[in-house]
Each structure stands twice: as structure tokens, then as C-alpha cells.
Amino acid sequence: MEFQHRMLRAVVAGIVDKALRDLPRDPKRSLRNLVDLGDSCAKGPQQKLFFARAHAALQSPASPYYQLAADAVSWVDPRALRAMGVNLGASGLTWGVGRLRQEEAARGGHLPWMLLLDGPARADSPVPREANALGCYTFVLRGADAREACALAAHWPESAFFAELPAAQITPETAALLEKAPNLAVSVDVTPETDASEAFGLLHAARRFYGFAAACTSRTADTLLDGAFLDRMRAGHCLYGCFRCPAGEPALEDRLFRTVNGDRGRRKGRPLLLIDFRRDVQSVAEAVSPGSRALRVNPALPLGPQLSPRSENVI
């Protein structure tokens, strides 16, 4: 790791540690201070716009995001909050962005800020090493089992990982393994019929950073986007919910977009961060480098040949 990168991580770690101490006492002031700091470090109009929206979301004293922040500090192991905060805030969206832009200028083309590793992902996967060298430090794992996800995240402690795992894979053994990978968040894959209460209970008892992931289709949308389902996820102590839509269904994508953005815009609501996976990932990509895309790659293969955006690998 380069000296400047290491120093930046140390500075951000100090900021995160202070926030973790201050949030229980005054979540409103602490959260606003964090957003102010991010705004002061933002470069470019798209990043400034992102923090302007964050400020707008915190305007109301009753904003659910204040409760969400307080819940995160109360529920989650501070080592996990620190690891995710530093890996996303310092390596992923600050140092990494600068490196990505340098590499893009040298290569004459766009590079992804995030990669979806689709398939089994061994700890010796070549992808994270090559991605880190380019400035990409954020990974979503889809198709890896719990052991693989924990081993991969532990092997790359400066990166942030989000693993989509079936509820059946969340066992007491899994919860113990996650303790060795504080830089790994778990997105429990659910359907309207899934009873994930046991999985949520194990993750909550182990103080893990977790939420849910769900495929929003024409069959499942009515239930998944209903308040009763979201209240059930909130009761399971989920901090976030990530929805993915099948490609080629614009009406469904628009419905999801309206639901997610309507929920974010409420001055009062449930403390649960909803994510429209495709659109939100692309929104961050535009803020990082206008015209760039996040990509789906095979974790068993070298990254270089997979970097050319094609219809089948663009998220």
C-alpha cells in the first residue's frame, strides 16, 4: 500500500472512530458533521450533488436516517463499522477514485468503481488484486458460499465486500467465520416466502453488518415493495435492503425507482436504507467518472480481459 493511501486510511479511521463515539450521544449533529466532511472532500459536480442530496435527506429532525445511524452503532460490532467506513470512504471512494481517473486517462477508457463477482470466489481469485491496482476496492459477491466469502474478504482487508447469501447458509458457524472478516457485509437473499428470522437472529446476535437482497419481479413486486414486508425486514434488524430487477422490464424498473426514491424522500419513515441496485450503482459510477459502468465478472478468471463493457457484463 502506498504511503499516501495508508495516511488517508489513518485519517479516515480517526474520523470514523470519533463518529462512533459521538453518534450515541448526538446522532443528529454527528451525522450532519460526517456529511459536511464528505462534501468538503468531494470533487466534481456529481459528487457535490450526491452530498447535496444527503444534506436534503437530513433536513428534517425526524429523518429516519438519524435512527438508522444510531441503530447501526448500537447493533453492529464497531470493528465492522470501522472497516466498512474506512474501506468505502477512504480506499473505495477517495483514494480509489483518484487512481481510477489516473488509469482511465492513461488507458483512454472507463474503468469500473465496483465489480460484481458472479460465481464461486476462492480466496486466491486474481480479481481483487488486479482491481485494487486500478483503484477498485468495492465488490459484490453473488454465487459464492459463506466460507468462500469470508475467506476472500479476510484475504483483502482494505476492500469492502457485500455477499448475497441464502438464509440457509447463515448458521452459528457462519456467524463465527464472519468475525474474522469485518470488511464483509451480508445481504441475506430473500423471497416473499422466505422465513429469514433465524438467519437474522444469528447475524444480529453476532453483531454483524447485514441487510437483505431480493429479486423484484412481476410476480414478487407487490409483496416485496409493500410496507408489511419492509416492516418485517426492519424487525429482523436489517440496516438496508437491496432490490434487483431483471433487465428489459422498464415498467418494473420505474416502479422500483419510484418506491425507493419515495421512501428516501419521506421526512418520517422506517429506518431502513432501500437500494435500487442497478440504478444506484450506476448513479455512483456517474459521480465517480461520468460514462463509466460497474461490471459483472467471473472471479476465477484474470480481470484484464473482462474489463471491456459488453451488454452481458454491464450491471
Side-chain angles (χ1 to χ4, degrees):
M1 186 188 303
E2 294 184 29
F3 175 75
Q4 289 181 322
H5 185 189
R6 189 162 61 249
M7 290 300 296
L8 174 64
R9 286 178 60 87
V11 169
V12 173
I15 293 167
V16 171
D17 288 342
K18 184 178 187 305
L20 294 179
R21 291 192 302 271
D22 293 346
L23 270 165
R25 295 194 299 269
D26 191 347
K28 292 182 173 62
R29 179 185 295 275
S30 298
L31 199 54
R32 288 195 299 266
N33 286 345
L34 279 176
V35 173
D36 288 341
L37 180 64
D39 190 20
S40 68
C41 296
K43 298 178 180 179
Q46 290 296 328
Q47 289 187 13
K48 288 288 186 183
L49 177 61
F50 173 84
F51 284 104
R53 290 172 176 168
H55 274 295
L58 298 176
Q59 284 297 311
S60 169
S63 170
Y65 294 111
Y66 292 124
Q67 184 61 52
L68 182 63
D71 289 342
V73 173
S74 175
W75 296 348
V76 181
D77 182 343
R79 293 188 312 123
L81 293 174
R82 188 178 196 267
M84 297 302 283
V86 173
N87 291 0
L88 285 170
S91 294
L93 295 176
T94 306
W95 172 265
V97 168
R99 174 58 63 87
L100 280 171
R101 289 174 175 168
Q102 291 175 0
E103 291 290 332
E104 286 179 337
R107 293 165 177 256
H110 292 298
L111 292 169
W113 76 275
M114 188 214 76
L115 292 172
L116 168 58
L117 277 55
D118 197 357
R122 292 165 50 93
D124 60 359
S125 166
V127 170
R129 176 180 56 79
E130 295 180 55
N132 284 182
L134 297 174
C136 174
Y137 288 84
T138 308
F139 305 95
V140 173
L141 307 179
R142 185 177 296 165
D145 65 28
R147 282 182 170 277
E148 289 174 335
C150 291
L152 185 64
H155 197 67
W156 297 99
E158 289 85 29
S159 294
F161 292 85
F162 297 82
E164 297 179 3
L165 298 175
Q169 285 197 26
I170 308 302
T171 64
E173 181 186 21
T174 302
L177 285 173
L178 286 166
E179 191 170 347
K180 300 176 182 178
N183 57 324
L184 173 64
V186 176
S187 305
V188 180
D189 209 358
V190 299
T191 70
E193 297 79 24
T194 302
D195 180 3
S197 55
E198 184 176 353
F200 291 156
L202 288 168
L203 292 169
H204 182 60
R207 305 196 71 198
R208 297 300 98 202
F209 191 108
Y210 71 92
F212 72 88
C216 188
T217 67
S218 56
R219 183 186 70 82
T220 63
D222 286 345
T223 303
L224 292 177
L225 302 181
D226 180 70
F229 174 83
L230 297 176
D231 288 339
R232 181 153 57 94
M233 298 297 101
R234 164 69 185 170
H237 300 98
C238 289
L239 293 171
Y240 64 89
C242 185
F243 294 102
R244 57 187 187 274
C245 271
E249 296 196 32
L252 185 60
E253 290 182 350
D254 288 344
R255 180 182 177 186
L256 175 60
F257 177 78
R258 290 194 301 272
T259 300
V260 168
N261 281 273
D263 192 86
R264 290 175 184 168
R266 291 178 185 168
R267 291 186 176 271
K268 296 182 179 180
R270 66 182 62 81
L272 180 67
L273 177 62
L274 299 185
I275 300 167
D276 177 345
F277 182 68
R278 180 178 291 113
R279 294 200 187 194
D280 285 336
V281 163
Q282 185 52 38
S283 177
V284 176
E286 287 293 330
V288 167
S289 178
S292 67
R293 296 289 185 270
L295 300 179
R296 175 187 291 104
V297 300
N298 185 335
L301 300 177
L303 178 60
Q306 303 185 74
L307 283 176
S308 298
R310 304 179 302 276
S311 59
E312 67 270 19
N313 76 333
V314 171
I315 294 173

